[in-house]
Structures are given as structure tokens and as C-alpha cells.
Amino acid sequence: MANQDHLHVETNILPVAEHNDMLTQQHLLACHSSSHPCNRLINEPLPPRNLRKSVIHCKPKIADLVPCSTLTPEQVKIGIKAIHSRTVEDTMQRYQVNRVLQTAPPPIAPEEAELPRRARSSLAQLRSGWSKLLNHYMNRLDTSIADECPLCRGSPHDTAHLFNCPGRPTTLTVQDLWHQPKAVAAFLRLEGEEDEEMTT
């Protein structure tokens, strides 16, 4: 099973906690507009109990974006964008490295969107290192399956081996799972995989 960080990177979606915190900060910043219906919140003191934090608890996080008690619509717009940008940056810096590359993964080439969904799913699984195409992964599920390549008997039969197997040489590299997904899909014969919805 791929870890959550890999799934968030693949889908370009923030984790729920970070996303909710970002929305709270943006809401509180917007409250500094005199025309905002919740403008009164900015002057409310912190509640006496902290069992459940309120929007006011985010004041320190946006202090650098609030030079005065009242912001213009343009200042609010700029501040909201700044909150989004730094939330994304901070979150990505906390993600675990990709287990296949052992570093932060590069963006996936837009061309992958042209592939069938099942092929894209297979590529995503290979990028995570957990794929039914890999005996290294299958061996974890069933020890009777040898962790070796069916072509050259090399071990471990992991994502990197697919691009270094002497039984099926290629000029593609493991990084091409991100840079050239269509070429990798063709090499691994994934392009013929049709979406389940199209075959039912």
C-alpha cells in the first residue's frame, strides 16, 4: 500500500488537516475586510478553554499578512494567495521522499493524461514501488512468490529493475515514469489496458 504522502503528491491534493488549516487562515484574513460579515471576529479574545480551537487561534499564523486592523479587498486577495502558496510549500517540504527515487519526485508530465485510466493507475503504483507487476511487492503478500525477475531471475524485482533488466534492455530510466509516462506505458505494454467502464 502506497503511503499517504505519495498519494497526495500524485493527485496534487493537500492532506485534509493542512487544507482545513489553510482555509481557516484564509477566512480569518478575509474577516479583516470591513465589509466582511464576520469582521467582528478579529477583535474577539481567545476563548477561556482550548479543547477545541477556534478561528481566532490562527491569528499568529497570519500576523505578517495583516499590517493593520482593516485590509482592502486587494490586500485580502494578495494575502489569500500568499497563505495558499506557503501552505503548499510547507506541506511539500514535510512529505517523505519517494521510495523509488529516494528523493522528492518531479512533476508528472502532462502527457500522462492521454493514457487510459488503468494504465495511469499502473504507472502510479510503479512510482510508489507497490505494484502487482513487481514480484518484490507480491512477495510481501505471498512468500511463495519469489522476489525475482521472471526474465533474468535477478533480484529484487522492483521498479528500478524493470529499467535495468538484461532480459529486456531499454534506454528508458526509472525517472521516465515521471518524465515520459507514455513511452514507459508502451514499453511495459500498459497502453492496451482499457478502462473498466469502457469494457462493461
Side-chain angles (χ1 to χ4, degrees):
M1 177 67 69
N3 64 50
Q4 292 184 21
D5 288 351
H6 172 76
L7 298 177
H8 288 128
V9 171
E10 285 279 321
T11 56
N12 289 322
I13 295 177
L14 288 171
V16 173
E18 285 78 0
H19 188 258
N20 286 343
D21 186 62
M22 178 189 72
L23 293 178
T24 302
Q25 292 181 50
Q26 291 176 329
H27 172 70
L28 182 59
L29 183 78
C31 289
H32 285 75
S33 171
S34 59
S35 60
H36 196 282
C38 294
N39 177 258
R40 60 178 177 78
L41 289 177
I42 63 175
N43 296 317
E44 288 189 1
L46 288 173
R49 301 180 67 189
N50 294 323
L51 292 179
R52 297 184 67 180
K53 292 185 177 180
S54 71
V55 65
I56 305 301
H57 284 86
C58 284
K59 272 188 174 182
K61 295 182 179 180
I62 65 169
D64 60 314
L65 300 174
V66 185
C68 53
S69 59
T70 302
L71 301 179
T72 65
E74 185 62 26
Q75 287 175 314
V76 170
K77 184 177 180 180
I78 293 173
I80 286 176
K81 287 184 178 180
I83 291 170
H84 177 272
S85 296
R86 68 188 184 188
T87 298
V88 171
E89 183 178 350
D90 291 346
T91 302
M92 292 187 68
Q93 288 179 351
R94 292 196 300 270
Y95 283 152
Q96 297 178 24
V97 298
N98 179 271
R99 65 178 290 110
V100 174
L101 298 178
Q102 291 302 306
T103 187
I108 300 171
E111 67 176 43
E112 190 189 66
E114 301 172 15
L115 293 169
R117 190 174 72 173
R118 291 188 66 184
R120 296 178 66 185
S121 177
S122 295
L123 290 172
Q125 291 166 2
L126 289 171
R127 287 191 289 263
S128 75
W130 306 120
S131 169
K132 291 183 178 180
L133 298 175
L134 306 172
N135 285 338
H136 180 66
Y137 168 70
M138 296 303 294
N139 175 259
R140 293 171 61 96
L141 304 179
D142 183 355
T143 55
S144 67
I145 300 175
D147 179 12
E148 62 180 28
C149 175
L151 296 177
C152 70
R153 301 303 175 187
S155 181
H157 185 241
D158 54 13
T159 301
H161 182 83
L162 297 179
F163 301 91
N164 296 284
C165 177
R168 195 163 181 231
T170 178
T171 57
L172 295 169
T173 66
V174 69
Q175 287 82 5
D176 288 324
L177 281 165
W178 287 264
H179 298 313
Q180 300 186 68
K182 291 184 71 174
V184 171
F187 170 66
L188 298 177
R189 302 186 179 96
L190 303 177
E191 282 192 305
E193 296 186 0
E194 298 180 355
D195 291 347
E196 291 181 2
E197 292 83 355
M198 297 175 62
T199 58
T200 56

